[in-house]
Amino acid sequence: MAQSEARAAPEPRGAEAATKAAVFNAAERLFALHGFQNVSVRDITAEAGVNLASLNYHFGSKDALLFEIFRRRTIELSRERARMLHEATHRAGGKPSVRDILEALFAPPLKWADPASDRRISVQFLLRARSEGTAPMRDVLQNDVSHLERFAQALKTARPDLAPETLYWRLHFALGMIHNNRFAEFDRLNHLSGGLTREGDIPALLKQMLDFAEAGFDAP
Amino acid sequence: MAQSEARAAPEPRGAEAATKAAVFNAAERLFALHGFQNVSVRDITAEAGVNLASLNYHFGSKDALLFEIFRRRTIELSRERARMLHEATHRAGGKPSVRDILEALFAPPLKWADPASDRRISVQFLLRARSEGTAPMRDVLQNDVSHLERFAQALKTARPDLAPETLYWRLHFALGMIHNNRFAEFDRLNHLSGGLTREGDIPALLKQMLDFAEAGFDAP
DNA sequence: GTCTATAGATGGATAGAC
DNA sequence: GTCTATCCATCTATAGAC
């Protein structure tokens, strides 16, 4: 438990920072489950088992805390994706296949979404940030596309025959496939399929997504 | 202007219902643009140019108004999709192609999203409802999958060779492609592509989506 | 049906003691 | 750093006059 918290929260060195970490984790969890506007500072501090005023003491404000969680998780996810893309590029001698590029895009958030992962909730937080995020978050999502530019460039190298416009659209579609992996959408799909789709089986889901998206990129 | 409002709002027969229609349209617009929790009753009535109390008089509460907009637009969209699927089924003698089925799924919301359409804002409202919706909305989204069952059944008929599990996943991916068509995501894509992707060109976008998704369904 | 005025509740933030 | 008590802004909803 302490280890899990240590991995999930920012540098919990002394007993003092334990409070900060508890607030961070409780906030991420509640925000991911119930939405940003439906969770109050009182809810967070109660869940964390700390005093009401400690949130403002450690983070300044509710919005600043929200942004801190968003920033940290975004950086972590981008880094994992960039590392996978870099490795795939190296393995392929500079020109990875479309499937390898897509795997670098899909695998990190899917690995987080594993029921056994302590990042399971972080994915849901980031997905919420896309639609419910505050203005500073939207600014980051809007302007910081450098992380995606590497993927667009790799796709151009892999498929120089495709029109750039088509390529960007297909990247957009692939991203849409990931962004739809919210708890509520999984539940809806389970309800529709009568329980056939088991989103807990991450390797199977990754294969399904790669099969679909790779074929989509191969369309004429 | 009067005609446009007549099409978008509920039965504006007399001058009395004009207030109700104005509230309905202002609310849909503000909710779609700024999110459900970021728009107050005061914002809505101010935008509509009516008195603060009229919202509660005509709709009962803010949440009831929200649900009313959601219910109306959901029914309209499902009906358009069902009609297109029905026509495609009839044209194909009972067994429409995967592409025809996907077109019945994609085309209605894309038609609404046309810059020239007076439903442009309704799509954004419905997309917000998926993530920011109140509990009653989530219940509807969760439990009322009858509309999607017809599409799943049609896909099974078109591709009896595919495992049902695979088929449901691919339907989920196709839905994800639509759900990603939010203003913010379009802007992000435009920023990334340097303006190459013009989401205002609906026929071109529909073709891009159909090419990608059809190929995805054709994956082995 | 429309308006004003206000009740009633909630939530973010902080002052100040410890 | 932690806690209590409280301020103050904001919002929904309604009572009651017209």
Side-chain angles (χ1 to χ4, degrees):
Chain A
M1 177 67 92
Q3 263 196 356
S4 168
E5 284 181 348
R7 201 165 32 245
E11 60 251 17
R13 256 172 269 157
E16 45 170 85
T19 295
K20 186 169 183 178
V23 170
F24 184 99
N25 289 326
E28 180 179 36
R29 176 181 154 75
L30 291 180
F31 285 144
L33 289 178
H34 307 117
F36 295 167
Q37 310 266 11
N38 295 320
V39 174
S40 68
V41 171
R42 285 169 174 81
D43 293 332
I44 297 169
T45 51
E47 169 96 353
V50 302
N51 186 270
L52 170 64
S54 58
L55 189 152
N56 284 290
Y57 176 79
H58 284 291
F59 294 96
S61 72
K62 178 189 177 181
D63 276 9
L65 165 60
L66 255 173
F67 189 78
E68 171 87 8
I69 302 172
F70 168 77
R71 199 185 53 87
R72 184 175 300 269
R73 298 313 187 204
T74 298
I75 290 175
E76 289 170 353
L77 183 59
S78 295
R79 195 164 290 168
E80 282 193 34
R81 279 174 162 168
R83 187 176 50 75
M84 275 197 74
L85 179 61
H86 182 263
E87 286 174 7
T89 305
H90 186 261
R91 273 201 316 274
K95 193 174 171 180
S97 68
V98 166
R99 193 177 180 98
D100 286 343
I101 299 167
L102 289 173
E103 185 167 359
L105 198 66
F106 289 169
L110 279 189
K111 221 183 70 184
W112 285 20
D114 193 295
S117 168
D118 60 348
R119 284 277 191 284
R120 181 168 167 70
I121 217 68
S122 305
V123 192
Q124 303 298 323
F125 179 95
L126 284 179
L127 290 177
R128 279 208 187 265
R130 302 198 76 79
S131 43
E132 303 169 46
T134 57
M137 290 189 210
R138 287 198 300 272
D139 278 357
V140 170
L141 287 171
Q142 191 85 270
N143 299 320
D144 185 17
V145 290
S146 59
H147 146 256
L148 284 178
E149 266 159 5
R150 272 172 285 189
F151 281 88
Q153 193 51 51
L155 287 168
K156 281 182 190 173
T157 305
R159 293 295 306 271
D161 54 312
L162 282 179
E165 175 188 345
T166 296
L167 200 141
Y168 281 115
W169 275 122
R170 294 183 178 179
L171 176 56
H172 174 74
F173 300 151
L175 289 171
M177 292 170 63
I178 308 181
H179 296 164
N180 207 34
N181 284 351
R182 313 201 318 121
F183 282 154
E185 300 292 344
F186 280 148
D187 291 346
R188 177 179 168 86
L189 179 65
N190 264 311
H191 191 238
L192 176 66
S193 72
L196 278 180
T197 48
R198 290 165 298 105
E199 72 272 10
D201 187 347
I202 299 296
L205 175 52
L206 177 60
K207 183 179 182 318
Q208 290 278 9
M209 290 180 65
L210 287 174
D211 286 349
F212 187 91
E214 183 188 23
F217 270 90
D218 278 346
Chain B
M1 174 68 91
Q3 266 197 351
S4 165
E5 280 179 352
R7 198 163 36 243
E11 62 252 17
R13 255 172 270 157
E16 46 173 84
T19 295
K20 188 170 182 177
V23 170
F24 185 98
N25 290 327
E28 181 178 35
R29 177 182 154 75
L30 290 180
F31 285 143
L33 289 178
H34 307 116
F36 295 168
Q37 311 264 14
N38 295 321
V39 174
S40 68
V41 172
R42 284 171 173 80
D43 294 332
I44 297 168
T45 51
E47 169 96 355
V50 303
N51 186 270
L52 170 64
S54 57
L55 189 151
N56 284 290
Y57 177 80
H58 285 290
F59 294 96
S61 71
K62 177 188 177 182
D63 276 10
L65 166 60
L66 254 173
F67 189 79
E68 169 87 8
I69 302 172
F70 168 76
R71 199 185 53 86
R72 183 175 301 270
R73 298 312 187 205
T74 298
I75 291 175
E76 290 170 352
L77 182 59
S78 294
R79 194 162 291 169
E80 282 192 32
R81 279 173 163 169
R83 187 176 52 76
M84 275 198 76
L85 179 60
H86 182 264
E87 287 174 4
T89 305
H90 187 262
R91 272 200 318 272
K95 193 176 170 179
S97 68
V98 167
R99 192 176 180 99
D100 285 342
I101 300 168
L102 289 174
E103 185 166 356
L105 197 66
F106 289 168
L110 278 190
K111 221 183 72 185
W112 286 19
D114 192 296
S117 167
D118 60 350
R119 284 278 189 285
R120 182 169 166 68
I121 217 68
S122 304
V123 193
Q124 302 299 320
F125 179 95
L126 285 179
L127 290 177
R128 279 209 188 262
R130 303 199 75 79
S131 45
E132 301 169 48
T134 57
M137 290 188 210
R138 286 197 301 272
D139 279 357
V140 170
L141 287 171
Q142 191 85 269
N143 299 321
D144 185 19
V145 290
S146 60
H147 146 256
L148 284 178
E149 267 158 7
R150 273 173 282 189
F151 282 87
Q153 194 50 51
L155 288 168
K156 282 180 189 174
T157 304
R159 292 296 305 273
D161 55 309
L162 280 179
E165 176 189 344
T166 297
L167 201 142
Y168 282 114
W169 275 123
R170 293 183 181 179
L171 176 56
H172 173 75
F173 300 150
L175 289 171
M177 291 170 63
I178 307 180
H179 297 164
N180 207 33
N181 283 350
R182 314 200 317 119
F183 282 154
E185 300 293 344
F186 279 148
D187 290 346
R188 178 178 167 86
L189 180 64
N190 263 312
H191 192 236
L192 176 65
S193 72
L196 277 181
T197 49
R198 291 163 297 106
E199 71 272 12
D201 187 348
I202 300 296
L205 176 52
L206 177 60
K207 183 179 183 319
Q208 290 278 8
M209 289 180 66
L210 286 175
D211 286 350
F212 187 91
E214 183 187 25
F217 270 90
D218 278 345

